[in-house]
Amino acid sequence: MSMHRTRIRTGGRVVRRLVAAGLVTALAGGLTACGGGGKAALPAKDGGKGGAATQADVIQDAPVAPDSAIPKGSWMAKVRERGTLRVGGTDSGALFSQRNPVTGKLEGFDAGLSQMLAKYIIGKPSTKLSLTTVATRETMLQNGTVDTVFATYTITPERAKKVAFAGPYYESGDAILVKKDNDAVKTVDDLNGTTVATEANSTAALAVKKYAPKAKTLLFQEDGECVAAVKQGRADAYVLVQGILLSDAVNDHSVKVVGQPFTKEPYGIGLPKDAPEAKQFVDAWLKKIIKGGSWAKLWKATIGTAVTGNAPKPPRIGSVEGS
């Protein structure tokens, strides 16, 4: 199986596992699918005691574009006139875009970014979510069903022939999960000399061999077996795509995800190819929120509730083929 196909398979399983795990109670509050709601969004990592910004705080403080940045007839002018940004994505992706079943609000990094973009264009974080899949994302952008797609959407040259990509706005990849009390493993270099669990049919086994050649690898068939091996002490760490590990850590507080992914999978914001001004506008907006600190604050309020350490350095806009 090619590496490309393996990544697609793994990504599909991320979504299924997140849905099956029902990872909703760990993510309280948030924003409505139609924009920013109350102040009680994702909890601060310290339980709110340190006054860390919530997702709602970040949205409230997000910038609004000047009229001069939105010329008549442009993609953004049409969004502003409509009063709602139509977003393609998911409502079941823990830490990225998940609907709270109690409040009905969308929570997560992708959801927050889409609401920040809506506020930048419209003046308020008004979004309307349409569920997309790997098979429908390009079509929905091409036929105008959605204005944009925020869906951990990996930029590839093949996809870039059909749609435009702003970004990349985030890089994911293989990451590391350990027991909650393990402070010895913080980076991939620390895996050398340890025993590492991973799934036999994933690309992570090759990644461990490449980046931590002195590690001993234990291969399992399922995610749950890898987590169990770490919890039982048969493995010091578990390496797999970050999305699955974040799901495990949110669902089981006896384990944690450390550091940042050590392989790269760049996520982009999908936009219609027949509106080139949209990509230019969204790229400029991304640079603005990165420079102003909103990007890092949103990461801390969402993904950062399940990942230790500071917010990662954002990828450089336009830095990958297809962007």
Side-chain angles (χ1 to χ4, degrees), residues 134-308:
V134 172
T136 63
R137 290 181 297 204
E138 283 89 29
T139 300
M140 293 178 75
L141 280 169
Q142 290 171 330
N143 65 22
T145 301
V146 298
D147 301 309
T148 183
V149 170
F150 285 79
T152 57
Y153 197 0
T154 301
I155 301 171
T156 69
E158 294 77 15
R159 290 171 176 168
K161 295 176 182 178
K162 301 177 182 179
V163 302
F165 282 106
Y169 69 91
Y170 187 70
E171 281 185 345
S172 189
D174 290 323
I176 304 167
L177 178 143
V178 296
K179 289 178 70 173
K180 197 77 170 183
D181 60 359
N182 184 339
D183 294 323
V185 176
K186 297 179 180 178
T187 71
V188 67
D189 292 337
D190 297 329
L191 295 178
N192 284 301
T194 70
T195 300
V196 179
T198 190
E199 293 190 9
N201 56 354
S202 74
T203 59
L206 296 175
V208 171
K209 185 176 181 180
K210 178 180 179 180
Y211 291 98
K214 295 182 181 180
K216 177 184 176 181
T217 304
L218 289 181
L219 300 180
F220 297 93
Q221 294 302 312
E222 296 292 339
D223 168 66
E225 294 175 296
C226 296
V227 174
V230 171
K231 293 173 66 175
Q232 295 163 5
R234 291 181 289 147
D236 300 294
Y238 170 25
V239 169
L240 204 68
V241 66
Q242 188 190 53
I244 291 178
L245 301 188
L246 290 174
S247 165
D248 293 328
V250 170
N251 201 38
D252 186 340
H253 294 168
S254 69
V255 296
K256 63 183 179 181
V257 179
V258 296
Q260 303 302 328
F262 58 89
T263 62
K264 294 183 178 181
E265 190 147 343
Y267 295 159
I269 299 169
L271 295 162
K273 207 169 182 65
D274 61 359
E277 73 276 12
K279 171 178 165 50
Q280 183 178 0
F281 178 86
V282 177
D283 275 341
W285 165 75
L286 281 172
K287 291 176 182 178
K288 186 177 185 69
I289 65 170
I290 288 170
K291 183 177 181 180
S294 296
W295 186 97
K297 290 177 182 177
L298 182 64
W299 183 93
K300 197 70 177 175
T302 56
I303 300 171
T305 62
V307 181
T308 60

Side-chain angles (χ1 to χ4, degrees), residues 10 17 29-30 45 47 52 58 101 110 117 130 133 182 212 227 235 264 292 322:
T10 304
R17 282 177 180 157
K45 194 168 182 70
V58 178
D110 278 356
L117 177 59
S130 293
T133 67
N182 184 339
V227 174
K264 294 183 178 181

